[in-house]
Amino acid sequence: MSGSKGTASDSSDSLTAALVAVVEAENAAVYGYSVAGARLSSSAQRLVARGDYDVHRAQVQATMSWLSDHARQSDTAASAAPPAAVYALPSPVTDAASALALLAALEENTAARYADVVSLATGSLQRAAALALQAAAVREAKWRHGSVPFPGLTGRLPGSNS
Amino acid sequence: MLVHLIAGTATRPGGAPAFRKLAPTMPKLPTAVPAVPAIHDVDAVAAGRPLLSRRQLLAAMGATVITGIGVLAGCKPSGSTNSGSTTGAPPGALIEPTTDAARAKRDAVITRAAENERSLIAAYKDAITAYPALAARLTPLRADHLRHLEALLPAAAASLSATSTPTSTPSPTPTLTPTLTPTLTSSAPPAIATPEPTVALNALAEKEHAAAAARVNEMAASTGSLARVLASIGGCEAAHETLLRAPA
């Protein structure tokens, strides 16, 4: 999916890969919301999920433009894969509880991909990724009914098992 | 649970990963990640147990940059490979600045963030002291900030817990209780008076909002694993604001 013309530096290639990953994570989130949204028990939650679904669709477009901007600036040829028809889910979504768990996991996953971009980018791209991470953390806390100390780093930080 | 979802895919050989991993290769967790005591309770800190140094902790986080990439990344047609999903920041390359000036700048950023975390921890403590009914709701959020302080400045977290034990008798909390009462009694009919705990929650939410914005600014002066950690802490603080503003 991504290649380079050999002129970009290693860190630029890493950023390209991180941007490709964030687009793919947003595409996976769009799919996940469409699966989980229908299983939520209350209409209020389904309404919120519908709004978040739209947010992720918009983020697919936003992150694709981050990727193309970066590719142009670094003279790198890179593009993300088109969204897949089906994504593997971590566990079957059969009821409201498993739907909530999936939504929280989707947000943690997108937060982690934004965190990767934060660690590699600078300037306005880094800031935009940090704000996207915050938005994902807010949604994650909403579905989880609680916070995690290091959204986007869960599993990476020693001792963080909440 | 998410630990298993994200990290477990790489760490449980033979076990069924929670997220079915479809990209061809998954980077292994680095063997150099140092063991660290689980510190989700305040007691570990209060006990003065030696914690990981900031350098070790940041190195541990930076070294596993890409653990989760490919997780839920997509059900690709078989044979399609995703060359982008296994690349990450070169571990170590971003961890320590090389010049004295860069190191001083980095230390200043860390000190500023740690100072803010310390004041948030104090604000939560004051709110819990003033409104014990909020303890169940606020204690987990305060614990998050202790984790943040530990990640940034382990020594400060340890000394904070050490000094806070003797002074834990209800200290005066002038900012919380007195501010509201005069205005409420003088201007508003008692029937619609805002319950004070709500005011305390809103005050904390404001602090969290400012903290989340400050972390983004500090992050902008940072790169690599420090930027990553600051952005994540800011994410936690944005989530705290939402939780504090949500109805109980």
PDB file of all heavy atoms in Angstrom, chain A residues 51-70:
ATOM      1  N   GLY A  51     -24.040   9.398  15.650  1.00  0.00           N
ATOM      2  CA  GLY A  51     -23.225  10.604  15.532  1.00  0.00           C
ATOM      3  C   GLY A  51     -21.738  10.268  15.467  1.00  0.00           C
ATOM      4  O   GLY A  51     -20.993  10.848  14.668  1.00  0.00           O
ATOM      5  N   ASP A  52     -21.313   9.318  16.304  1.00  0.00           N
ATOM      6  CA  ASP A  52     -19.900   8.930  16.296  1.00  0.00           C
ATOM      7  C   ASP A  52     -19.524   8.244  14.982  1.00  0.00           C
ATOM      8  O   ASP A  52     -18.397   8.402  14.494  1.00  0.00           O
ATOM      9  CB  ASP A  52     -19.613   7.986  17.478  1.00  0.00           C
ATOM     10  CG  ASP A  52     -19.668   8.721  18.814  1.00  0.00           C
ATOM     11  OD1 ASP A  52     -19.789   9.957  18.809  1.00  0.00           O
ATOM     12  OD2 ASP A  52     -19.599   8.049  19.862  1.00  0.00           O
ATOM     13  N   TYR A  53     -20.458   7.490  14.447  1.00  0.00           N
ATOM     14  CA  TYR A  53     -20.230   6.856  13.137  1.00  0.00           C
ATOM     15  C   TYR A  53     -19.936   7.927  12.087  1.00  0.00           C
ATOM     16  O   TYR A  53     -18.992   7.805  11.293  1.00  0.00           O
ATOM     17  CB  TYR A  53     -21.478   6.044  12.781  1.00  0.00           C
ATOM     18  CG  TYR A  53     -21.541   5.525  11.359  1.00  0.00           C
ATOM     19  CD1 TYR A  53     -20.939   4.312  11.014  1.00  0.00           C
ATOM     20  CD2 TYR A  53     -22.251   6.231  10.379  1.00  0.00           C
ATOM     21  CE1 TYR A  53     -21.021   3.834   9.716  1.00  0.00           C
ATOM     22  CE2 TYR A  53     -22.336   5.755   9.082  1.00  0.00           C
ATOM     23  CZ  TYR A  53     -21.724   4.557   8.755  1.00  0.00           C
ATOM     24  OH  TYR A  53     -21.798   4.092   7.466  1.00  0.00           O
ATOM     25  N   ASP A  54     -20.726   8.994  12.120  1.00  0.00           N
ATOM     26  CA  ASP A  54     -20.488  10.086  11.162  1.00  0.00           C
ATOM     27  C   ASP A  54     -19.132  10.744  11.399  1.00  0.00           C
ATOM     28  O   ASP A  54     -18.445  11.127  10.451  1.00  0.00           O
ATOM     29  CB  ASP A  54     -21.609  11.130  11.269  1.00  0.00           C
ATOM     30  CG  ASP A  54     -22.925  10.607  10.707  1.00  0.00           C
ATOM     31  OD1 ASP A  54     -22.886   9.660   9.900  1.00  0.00           O
ATOM     32  OD2 ASP A  54     -23.987  11.137  11.075  1.00  0.00           O
ATOM     33  N   VAL A  55     -18.763  10.872  12.688  1.00  0.00           N
ATOM     34  CA  VAL A  55     -17.456  11.450  12.999  1.00  0.00           C
ATOM     35  C   VAL A  55     -16.343  10.600  12.381  1.00  0.00           C
ATOM     36  O   VAL A  55     -15.400  11.123  11.771  1.00  0.00           O
ATOM     37  CB  VAL A  55     -17.267  11.563  14.526  1.00  0.00           C
ATOM     38  CG1 VAL A  55     -15.809  11.873  14.861  1.00  0.00           C
ATOM     39  CG2 VAL A  55     -18.177  12.645  15.102  1.00  0.00           C
ATOM     40  N   HIS A  56     -16.465   9.296  12.517  1.00  0.00           N
ATOM     41  CA  HIS A  56     -15.405   8.426  11.977  1.00  0.00           C
ATOM     42  C   HIS A  56     -15.375   8.480  10.452  1.00  0.00           C
ATOM     43  O   HIS A  56     -14.312   8.406   9.845  1.00  0.00           O
ATOM     44  CB  HIS A  56     -15.582   6.990  12.485  1.00  0.00           C
ATOM     45  CG  HIS A  56     -15.149   6.829  13.907  1.00  0.00           C
ATOM     46  ND1 HIS A  56     -13.835   6.889  14.305  1.00  0.00           N
ATOM     47  CD2 HIS A  56     -15.862   6.637  15.042  1.00  0.00           C
ATOM     48  CE1 HIS A  56     -13.746   6.739  15.614  1.00  0.00           C
ATOM     49  NE2 HIS A  56     -14.972   6.574  16.089  1.00  0.00           N
ATOM     50  N   ARG A  57     -16.550   8.585   9.854  1.00  0.00           N
ATOM     51  CA  ARG A  57     -16.550   8.736   8.386  1.00  0.00           C
ATOM     52  C   ARG A  57     -15.828  10.016   7.976  1.00  0.00           C
ATOM     53  O   ARG A  57     -15.049  10.029   7.017  1.00  0.00           O
ATOM     54  CB  ARG A  57     -17.992   8.740   7.863  1.00  0.00           C
ATOM     55  CG  ARG A  57     -18.548   7.324   7.686  1.00  0.00           C
ATOM     56  CD  ARG A  57     -20.044   7.345   7.442  1.00  0.00           C
ATOM     57  NE  ARG A  57     -20.449   8.312   6.429  1.00  0.00           N
ATOM     58  CZ  ARG A  57     -20.895   7.997   5.214  1.00  0.00           C
ATOM     59  NH1 ARG A  57     -20.991   6.727   4.857  1.00  0.00           N
ATOM     60  NH2 ARG A  57     -21.261   8.925   4.376  1.00  0.00           N
ATOM     61  N   ALA A  58     -16.067  11.077   8.731  1.00  0.00           N
ATOM     62  CA  ALA A  58     -15.373  12.332   8.419  1.00  0.00           C
ATOM     63  C   ALA A  58     -13.872  12.194   8.676  1.00  0.00           C
ATOM     64  O   ALA A  58     -13.051  12.753   7.940  1.00  0.00           O
ATOM     65  CB  ALA A  58     -15.959  13.469   9.272  1.00  0.00           C
ATOM     66  N   GLN A  59     -13.517  11.438   9.728  1.00  0.00           N
ATOM     67  CA  GLN A  59     -12.098  11.262  10.038  1.00  0.00           C
ATOM     68  C   GLN A  59     -11.373  10.445   8.967  1.00  0.00           C
ATOM     69  O   GLN A  59     -10.170  10.618   8.758  1.00  0.00           O
ATOM     70  CB  GLN A  59     -11.920  10.610  11.410  1.00  0.00           C
ATOM     71  CG  GLN A  59     -12.124  11.560  12.583  1.00  0.00           C
ATOM     72  CD  GLN A  59     -11.191  12.758  12.535  1.00  0.00           C
ATOM     73  OE1 GLN A  59     -11.603  13.865  12.214  1.00  0.00           O
ATOM     74  NE2 GLN A  59      -9.907  12.552  12.840  1.00  0.00           N
ATOM     75  N   VAL A  60     -12.095   9.547   8.307  1.00  0.00           N
ATOM     76  CA  VAL A  60     -11.478   8.828   7.186  1.00  0.00           C
ATOM     77  C   VAL A  60     -11.018   9.836   6.137  1.00  0.00           C
ATOM     78  O   VAL A  60      -9.876   9.793   5.663  1.00  0.00           O
ATOM     79  CB  VAL A  60     -12.467   7.819   6.565  1.00  0.00           C
ATOM     80  CG1 VAL A  60     -11.919   7.291   5.246  1.00  0.00           C
ATOM     81  CG2 VAL A  60     -12.734   6.663   7.526  1.00  0.00           C
ATOM     82  N   GLN A  61     -11.904  10.778   5.828  1.00  0.00           N
ATOM     83  CA  GLN A  61     -11.542  11.789   4.821  1.00  0.00           C
ATOM     84  C   GLN A  61     -10.400  12.672   5.325  1.00  0.00           C
ATOM     85  O   GLN A  61      -9.456  12.972   4.587  1.00  0.00           O
ATOM     86  CB  GLN A  61     -12.770  12.655   4.494  1.00  0.00           C
ATOM     87  CG  GLN A  61     -13.936  11.869   3.911  1.00  0.00           C
ATOM     88  CD  GLN A  61     -13.538  11.042   2.693  1.00  0.00           C
ATOM     89  OE1 GLN A  61     -12.845  11.527   1.800  1.00  0.00           O
ATOM     90  NE2 GLN A  61     -13.947   9.776   2.674  1.00  0.00           N
ATOM     91  N   ALA A  62     -10.500  13.085   6.590  1.00  0.00           N
ATOM     92  CA  ALA A  62      -9.469  13.975   7.140  1.00  0.00           C
ATOM     93  C   ALA A  62      -8.101  13.299   7.128  1.00  0.00           C
ATOM     94  O   ALA A  62      -7.107  13.893   6.705  1.00  0.00           O
ATOM     95  CB  ALA A  62      -9.852  14.389   8.564  1.00  0.00           C
ATOM     96  N   THR A  63      -8.068  12.054   7.587  1.00  0.00           N
ATOM     97  CA  THR A  63      -6.761  11.385   7.692  1.00  0.00           C
ATOM     98  C   THR A  63      -6.224  11.030   6.305  1.00  0.00           C
ATOM     99  O   THR A  63      -5.002  11.008   6.112  1.00  0.00           O
ATOM    100  CB  THR A  63      -6.862  10.134   8.579  1.00  0.00           C
ATOM    101  OG1 THR A  63      -7.906   9.281   8.093  1.00  0.00           O
ATOM    102  CG2 THR A  63      -7.162  10.505  10.016  1.00  0.00           C
ATOM    103  N   MET A  64      -7.111  10.774   5.361  1.00  0.00           N
ATOM    104  CA  MET A  64      -6.625  10.541   3.998  1.00  0.00           C
ATOM    105  C   MET A  64      -5.972  11.803   3.439  1.00  0.00           C
ATOM    106  O   MET A  64      -4.973  11.725   2.710  1.00  0.00           O
ATOM    107  CB  MET A  64      -7.768  10.070   3.090  1.00  0.00           C
ATOM    108  CG  MET A  64      -8.073   8.582   3.262  1.00  0.00           C
ATOM    109  SD  MET A  64      -9.505   8.016   2.304  1.00  0.00           S
ATOM    110  CE  MET A  64      -8.987   8.380   0.656  1.00  0.00           C
ATOM    111  N   SER A  65      -6.501  12.957   3.814  1.00  0.00           N
ATOM    112  CA  SER A  65      -5.861  14.178   3.318  1.00  0.00           C
ATOM    113  C   SER A  65      -4.545  14.436   4.064  1.00  0.00           C
ATOM    114  O   SER A  65      -3.601  14.966   3.476  1.00  0.00           O
ATOM    115  CB  SER A  65      -6.811  15.369   3.404  1.00  0.00           C
ATOM    116  OG  SER A  65      -6.920  15.831   4.725  1.00  0.00           O
ATOM    117  N   TRP A  66      -4.470  14.040   5.347  1.00  0.00           N
ATOM    118  CA  TRP A  66      -3.169  14.121   6.037  1.00  0.00           C
ATOM    119  C   TRP A  66      -2.138  13.296   5.276  1.00  0.00           C
ATOM    120  O   TRP A  66      -1.006  13.721   5.069  1.00  0.00           O
ATOM    121  CB  TRP A  66      -3.241  13.560   7.451  1.00  0.00           C
ATOM    122  CG  TRP A  66      -4.123  14.282   8.408  1.00  0.00           C
ATOM    123  CD1 TRP A  66      -4.837  15.427   8.172  1.00  0.00           C
ATOM    124  CD2 TRP A  66      -4.395  13.900   9.761  1.00  0.00           C
ATOM    125  NE1 TRP A  66      -5.531  15.770   9.302  1.00  0.00           N
ATOM    126  CE2 TRP A  66      -5.289  14.863  10.283  1.00  0.00           C
ATOM    127  CE3 TRP A  66      -3.999  12.850  10.569  1.00  0.00           C
ATOM    128  CZ2 TRP A  66      -5.767  14.796  11.591  1.00  0.00           C
ATOM    129  CZ3 TRP A  66      -4.459  12.777  11.867  1.00  0.00           C
ATOM    130  CH2 TRP A  66      -5.348  13.739  12.374  1.00  0.00           C
ATOM    131  N   LEU A  67      -2.564  12.100   4.889  1.00  0.00           N
ATOM    132  CA  LEU A  67      -1.633  11.192   4.209  1.00  0.00           C
ATOM    133  C   LEU A  67      -1.197  11.763   2.866  1.00  0.00           C
ATOM    134  O   LEU A  67       0.005  11.752   2.540  1.00  0.00           O
ATOM    135  CB  LEU A  67      -2.300   9.819   4.034  1.00  0.00           C
ATOM    136  CG  LEU A  67      -1.515   8.769   3.260  1.00  0.00           C
ATOM    137  CD1 LEU A  67      -0.198   8.447   3.960  1.00  0.00           C
ATOM    138  CD2 LEU A  67      -2.345   7.486   3.098  1.00  0.00           C
ATOM    139  N   SER A  68      -2.151  12.292   2.104  1.00  0.00           N
ATOM    140  CA  SER A  68      -1.756  12.791   0.787  1.00  0.00           C
ATOM    141  C   SER A  68      -0.917  14.062   0.913  1.00  0.00           C
ATOM    142  O   SER A  68       0.031  14.269   0.147  1.00  0.00           O
ATOM    143  CB  SER A  68      -2.992  13.013  -0.095  1.00  0.00           C
ATOM    144  OG  SER A  68      -3.845  13.955   0.489  1.00  0.00           O
ATOM    145  N   ASP A  69      -1.227  14.893   1.913  1.00  0.00           N
ATOM    146  CA  ASP A  69      -0.390  16.082   2.140  1.00  0.00           C
ATOM    147  C   ASP A  69       1.039  15.672   2.489  1.00  0.00           C
ATOM    148  O   ASP A  69       2.003  16.239   1.966  1.00  0.00           O
ATOM    149  CB  ASP A  69      -0.955  16.932   3.296  1.00  0.00           C
ATOM    150  CG  ASP A  69      -2.205  17.679   2.885  1.00  0.00           C
ATOM    151  OD1 ASP A  69      -2.531  17.659   1.683  1.00  0.00           O
ATOM    152  OD2 ASP A  69      -2.869  18.264   3.764  1.00  0.00           O
ATOM    153  N   HIS A  70       1.139  14.707   3.380  1.00  0.00           N
ATOM    154  CA  HIS A  70       2.480  14.273   3.793  1.00  0.00           C
ATOM    155  C   HIS A  70       3.230  13.645   2.622  1.00  0.00           C
ATOM    156  O   HIS A  70       4.430  13.875   2.438  1.00  0.00           O
ATOM    157  CB  HIS A  70       2.384  13.280   4.946  1.00  0.00           C
ATOM    158  CG  HIS A  70       3.695  12.635   5.281  1.00  0.00           C
ATOM    159  ND1 HIS A  70       4.732  13.328   5.855  1.00  0.00           N
ATOM    160  CD2 HIS A  70       4.159  11.371   5.084  1.00  0.00           C
ATOM    161  CE1 HIS A  70       5.771  12.523   6.012  1.00  0.00           C
ATOM    162  NE2 HIS A  70       5.445  11.339   5.554  1.00  0.00           N
TER     163      HIS A  70
END
